Amino acid sequence: MGKTTYMRLRGSRHLRQRLVLATLTATPIVVKEIHSDDTFPGLRPHEVSLFRLLEKITDHSLIEFGESGTELLYKPGVLIGGKNLVHDCGLSRSIGYFLEPLILLGLFGKKPLSIRLKGITNDSKDPSVDTFRTTTLHMLRRFGVPLEGLELKIESRGAPPLGGGEVLLRVPIIPNTLTATHWVDEGMVKRIRGITFSTRVSPQIGNRMVYAVRGVFNNFIPDVHIFTDHRSGPAGGRSPGYGMSLVAETTTGCLISADIASTEKADEMDEDTEEKPEVKTPEDIGIEVASILLGEIKQGGVVDSTHQGLLFLLCALCPPDVSKVRVGALTPYGIETLRNIRDFLGVKFVIKPDTSTNTVILKCVGSGMKNIARKIS
Amino acid sequence: SKWKESLIARTLMRQNGNLMQLVYGQSLSNSAAASQKERESSESDESEDGNFFIPKGQREKMADEKFDDNDINAEDCSKFKTKLRKWSDENLISSIRDRFVTGDWSKAAQRGKLANDGE
């Protein structure tokens, strides 16, 4: 065996995407200067947890951390997947942080993935588990992923800071490749659905949020239906919290999502930010999430800004066929995704703005990623 | 007014050409320029009192400024926070009225048609 050449990267930015792409393309990587300028240098707890998760679903992968924790070496192994896995996501980031890479990796595994994730189910930083269930999983259908076997079950909820939630994720493997998609028609918003959650607080809070949301959407559309999910006892986790996730469904089946959760998290990592953020009332939460959703609708595009990265990745992982998608204004995360795709997969998108609607149309030829780990039967 | 329209169109055209460059091309030259700028500024800092001690508020401000393209340790977060607007505003409401099925369908169809012509 010859000497392995490593792709050299700097910083912890987009670590998840880089790890996913490195694993899928079997590119060994070296990352340096991870949080090297911070007061507490080195990898964050959630980043270490992410590596532990990678170790669980792959075989023969090699992960080494530098002594100071600001450097790491990753040599991807074979993606396996597997059943009845359990992973504790920790409390520094919510489960949403781990779901995004897991979904992509699960599709290209050898066996269908079924994993139980423990930690924080809803917070404001990452997409909540509700958004994943209602929006992200349905996005995969556009790329030829069978919906059966694709499931996210919320067994118990956990709000920050103490978490205590538990979800069960099942991802099927794709038979061979994804299918390229031509997805530019946004359609018109025909209905709005949503779900509120409340844990360890008065069950009335759910209704208060719904009431506030309805007030905003009354100007637009009557078909608004929001479920309330109140959890008490052990199913409610260990911290009080509430929030909601909204989805706008269009006539062409595009799903635009927005979510938010109450912030009561005191950050132990940064002592600078000692002043406690004001606790938002349920009414504030409702109005804010509705405003976010309307903002996303105004932006246009077939997905919301949160899902741009995943959309581009899926397009780039398609067989060598033309995919065409429309999004609203490119987000910084989306732009960085496009760069990572170019670096790892060698796929360059043709990006053309559509001035009449202020949206952006992206075209690409997929890299022809195949599920090679799959057992041929 | 009418004379402005051609100007607006031209500005938009210019922006469009830059989008590919924005994503793939410019980042290298951009970061090089930024690092140069950083070096210059750090030199001037050191001449005063070194940049070891930074007032509490200023560090946050610096972090804010750093958040554009070049922060290699930016938080890995797919959610993008946009500025919230007040959606009770009548103008704002009418600006997205036709994105809903309760709005004008012919206008929405036009929107889709324009997109197809753009190919």
Side-chain angles (χ1 to χ4, degrees), chain B residues 64-80:
Chain B
D64 274 354
E65 278 167 22
K66 245 166 71 176
F67 179 79
D68 43 44
D69 237 9
N70 309 311
D71 183 10
I72 52 167
N73 281 312
E75 190 139 41
D76 189 0
C77 189
S78 65
K79 250 192 187 177
F80 180 61

Side-chain angles (χ1 to χ4, degrees), chain A residues 13 189 220 259 297 326 339, chain B residues 23 69 73 79 99 102 115:
Chain A
R13 166 146 97 152
V189 177
F220 297 97
D259 66 52
I297 291 168
R326 179 206 294 272
R339 290 181 188 149
Chain B
V23 175
D69 237 9
N73 281 312
K79 250 192 187 177
R99 296 295 319 280
T102 45

